[in-house]
Amino acid sequence: MQSKKFFLLGVVLCCLFAMALYQLANSRQWQLFGNIVSQVKTEEKVVALTLDDGPSMRYTEAILQLLDVYHVKATFFVVGQDSQRFMQQTKKIVQQGHELGNHSYTHPSMLFKSLSTIRQEIEQTDKVIRQAGYQGDIHFRAPYTQKLLVLPWYLNQTNRLNISWNLGPDSHSTRAVKKEAESIAQYVLDNVQPGSIILLHVMYENGEASREALPLIIRGLQQQGYAFLTISELLKRDQR
């Protein structure tokens, strides 16, 4: 009887430990080593628009044209293999004054990956970003926000920030938002705060609702008096 109690206690503790690891792995505010940034502390009405994945042959040009119309600079967290495949589009992002961030080379989950795999995913993408002519700081964003266990350590060792977000209306973690343009835009407009980091996925075919929401978000935030900065610019406004 006593052994059965210890067994059940062990099962409960293992479950609690697994749940804690899961929460830590997917947290947008916490990681074991180094710094993760989901929002900047500032009283200024400034935000950063970040666009994940790609670039793509089909959608990059239209996104760049839209940003140019509204005089908005964004941070593109690009996938290395896509950036290499569509180098012309990657270079154009840089030429138009936007920021490039590192979103890994093949977009894998980085949970429990080896050091060599993590190093290759990050360094190979950095190399492609430099080949595109980008000369600024290269910030990192973990695919799926997942980051156990070696990834945070490696980011800290190489002095890299892990950039997450506080407004991700089309992300898998924001389940309450309907994946429709109006709902996506309204979520951002209702929840924005000074220093917010906005995440959208607009580079692939399944991002149609987010592409349609993008001008609604930009116009709405500009009407509220917000200015758009790149991640590097936003970090300089941090009052912490």
Side-chain angles (χ1 to χ4, degrees):
M1 191 69 177
Q2 192 74 9
S3 60
K4 184 176 181 180
K5 288 181 180 180
F6 280 119
F7 174 76
L8 291 175
L9 178 62
V11 170
V12 170
L13 291 175
C14 286
C15 290
L16 290 174
F17 180 71
M19 289 172 61
L21 276 182
Y22 177 82
Q23 293 295 327
L24 179 61
N26 290 278
S27 173
R28 289 181 276 122
Q29 292 84 31
W30 303 96
Q31 61 185 30
L32 289 176
F33 307 99
N35 294 316
I36 183 168
V37 180
S38 61
Q39 184 177 1
V40 163
K41 183 179 181 181
T42 178
E43 296 178 1
E44 299 180 69
K45 297 189 80 170
V46 291
V47 297
L49 173 64
T50 66
L51 306 174
D52 275 14
D53 306 332
S56 66
M57 176 72 75
R58 185 172 179 181
Y59 299 112
T60 301
E61 180 64 32
I63 296 301
L64 290 174
Q65 289 177 1
L66 176 66
L67 296 175
D68 186 56
V69 166
Y70 291 102
H71 308 289
V72 167
K73 298 303 179 187
T75 300
F76 291 73
F77 281 95
V78 294
V79 176
Q81 63 181 4
D82 290 343
S83 299
Q84 195 164 48
R85 181 182 179 190
F86 302 115
M87 181 57 72
Q88 182 177 346
Q89 285 74 21
T90 311
K91 288 181 176 179
K92 191 157 189 180
I93 293 171
V94 178
Q95 291 164 2
Q96 294 199 6
H98 301 286
E99 182 172 26
L100 292 183
N102 186 323
H103 200 36
S104 79
Y105 193 79
T106 62
H107 202 280
S109 167
M110 288 195 165
L111 289 178
F112 307 109
K113 288 293 191 294
S114 68
L115 176 59
S116 62
T117 296
I118 288 171
R119 181 187 293 116
Q120 183 177 8
E121 286 284 338
I122 293 176
E123 299 296 343
Q124 198 170 357
T125 303
D126 271 6
K127 183 177 179 181
V128 173
I129 287 173
R130 294 304 186 201
Q131 288 173 347
Y134 180 72
Q135 298 179 351
D137 292 335
I138 302 176
H139 304 299
F140 181 80
R141 174 172 283 165
Y144 314 109
T145 327
Q146 296 174 336
K147 54 197 179 306
L148 283 180
L149 285 168
V150 181
L151 176 61
W153 179 85
Y154 182 77
L155 295 176
N156 188 44
Q157 290 296 110
T158 55
N159 297 312
R160 301 170 191 266
L161 287 177
N162 189 2
I163 305 296
S164 61
W165 66 91
N166 68 309
L167 296 176
D170 68 355
S171 76
H172 66 281
S173 61
T174 313
R175 298 183 179 88
V177 181
K178 293 181 180 179
K179 301 308 183 269
E180 301 170 354
E182 293 77 11
S183 298
I184 290 171
Q186 199 60 52
Y187 176 85
V188 174
L189 299 180
D190 288 345
N191 294 281
V192 67
Q193 298 173 341
S196 283
I197 297 176
I198 303 164
L199 162 65
L200 289 174
H201 298 83
V202 296
M203 283 296 169
Y204 302 140
E205 186 174 355
N206 61 3
E208 181 178 358
S210 296
R211 287 189 294 274
E212 293 175 356
L214 185 54
L216 304 179
I217 292 170
I218 292 173
R219 288 198 300 267
L221 290 180
Q222 288 179 338
Q223 288 168 4
Q224 291 185 29
Y226 279 91
F228 289 84
L229 305 178
T230 64
I231 286 294
S232 291
E233 291 170 337
L234 187 67
L235 290 171
K236 293 177 182 177
R237 309 294 180 95
D238 198 342
Q239 297 175 350
R240 284 174 286 195

